[in-house]
């Protein structure tokens, strides 16, 4: 198990529906640490960089329009296996397949308006975090439950 950081974006639908607190609580309660956080409206150029891998796909234009249409919340999240854990907490991209109990399973019904985005690999996480956060916008601190979450004997 490696300590990793990953990028989460609470999308415009999540912000506008008042789900910011609910979504962040899911990650915090799991035992993951929020090490960076900001509310911002993505410039088009930034959204295009973040979603470069999807350029040319049928949903690309709609996705960019949506992601730049209103404020989002960007989170840098740290923890052991954080990239995979966050993706499990988020649920499948397509809300028709995401399980109840996951963020998308509980709160979304549309594949574009699917509440959250998260990095899908260590390489994407590094790339995406660098696009959204300056180096001094991610912080180091100790959560007081870390020894309980990660007992040294296990
Ligand atoms: P996200 O994790 O932000 O990554 C790309 C986004 O494109 C995805 O979530 C969906 O919101 C959106 N999207 C729309 N249609 C599709 C599709 N057919 N396959 C994958 N992603 C899609």
């Amino acid at each position: 198990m490696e300590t990793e950081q990953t990028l989460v974006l609470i999308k415009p639908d999540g912000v506008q529906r008042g789900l910011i607190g609910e979504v962040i609580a899911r990650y915090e309660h799991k035992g993951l640490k929020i090490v960076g956080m900001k509310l911002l409206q993505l410039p088009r150029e930034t959204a295009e960089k973040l979603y470069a891998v999807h350029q040319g796909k049928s949903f690309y234009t709609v996705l960019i329009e949506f992601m730049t249409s209103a404020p989002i919340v960007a989170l840098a999240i740290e923890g052991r296996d954080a990239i995979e854990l966050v993706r499990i907490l988020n649920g499948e991209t397509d809300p028709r397949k995401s399980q109840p109990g996951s963020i998308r399973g509980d709160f979304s019904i549309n594949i574009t308006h699917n509440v959250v985005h998260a990095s899908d690999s260590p390489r994407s996480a590094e790339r995406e975090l660098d696009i959204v956060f300056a180096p001094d916008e991610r912080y180091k601190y100790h959560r007081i439950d870390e020894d309980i979450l990660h007992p040294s004997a296990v």
Side-chain angles (χ1 to χ4, degrees), residues 11 51 54 59 63 93 104 111-114 116-118:
K11 298 186 177 189
Y51 284 118
H54 296 301
F59 57 85
L63 178 65
T93 304
R104 289 163 173 158
I111 195 166
T112 302
H113 300 187
N114 60 351
V116 279
H117 163 80

Side-chain angles (χ1 to χ4, degrees), residues 43-53 55 60 64 68:
R44 174 170 285 269
E45 196 190 348
T46 309
E48 286 175 349
K49 261 193 222 164
L50 279 169
Y51 284 118
V53 66
Q55 203 170 9
Y60 177 75
I64 298 295
T68 55

Side-chain angles (χ1 to χ4, degrees), residues 10-151:
I10 305 178
K11 298 186 177 189
D13 56 321
V15 174
Q16 290 172 14
R17 291 170 63 205
L19 294 173
I20 297 171
E22 170 74 38
V23 169
I24 292 175
R26 302 266 177 135
Y27 306 129
E28 283 196 305
H29 293 170
K30 181 72 174 172
L32 295 165
K33 195 192 288 186
I34 310 299
V35 296
M37 176 161 70
K38 55 185 169 182
L39 179 76
L40 76 160
Q41 188 151 351
L42 278 179
R44 174 170 285 269
E45 196 190 348
T46 309
E48 286 175 349
K49 261 193 222 164
L50 279 169
Y51 284 118
V53 66
H54 296 301
Q55 203 170 9
K57 294 184 185 166
S58 58
F59 57 85
Y60 177 75
T61 307
V62 170
L63 178 65
I64 298 295
E65 288 298 324
F66 175 57
M67 290 301 293
T68 55
S69 66
I72 60 155
V73 172
L75 304 168
I77 297 184
E78 183 179 285
R80 296 196 195 167
D81 291 329
I83 296 167
E84 186 185 355
L85 288 179
V86 163
R87 289 182 70 80
I88 292 169
L89 292 171
N90 286 357
E92 293 284 327
T93 304
D94 184 347
R96 289 172 304 181
K97 297 184 188 139
S98 48
Q99 295 297 307
S102 67
I103 292 167
R104 289 163 173 158
D106 288 349
F107 298 115
S108 69
I109 204 162
N110 175 278
I111 195 166
T112 302
H113 300 187
N114 60 351
V115 188
V116 279
H117 163 80
S119 311
D120 64 3
S121 67
R123 183 190 272 217
S124 323
E126 205 180 323
R127 193 184 77 83
E128 294 177 4
L129 284 163
D130 283 347
I131 292 171
V132 178
F133 287 99
D136 63 355
E137 290 177 328
R138 284 185 269 162
Y139 296 88
K140 288 190 195 315
Y141 66 97
H142 184 73
R143 260 180 70 147
I144 59 166
D145 57 2
E146 278 173 29
D147 293 343
I148 296 169
L149 290 166
H150 307 294

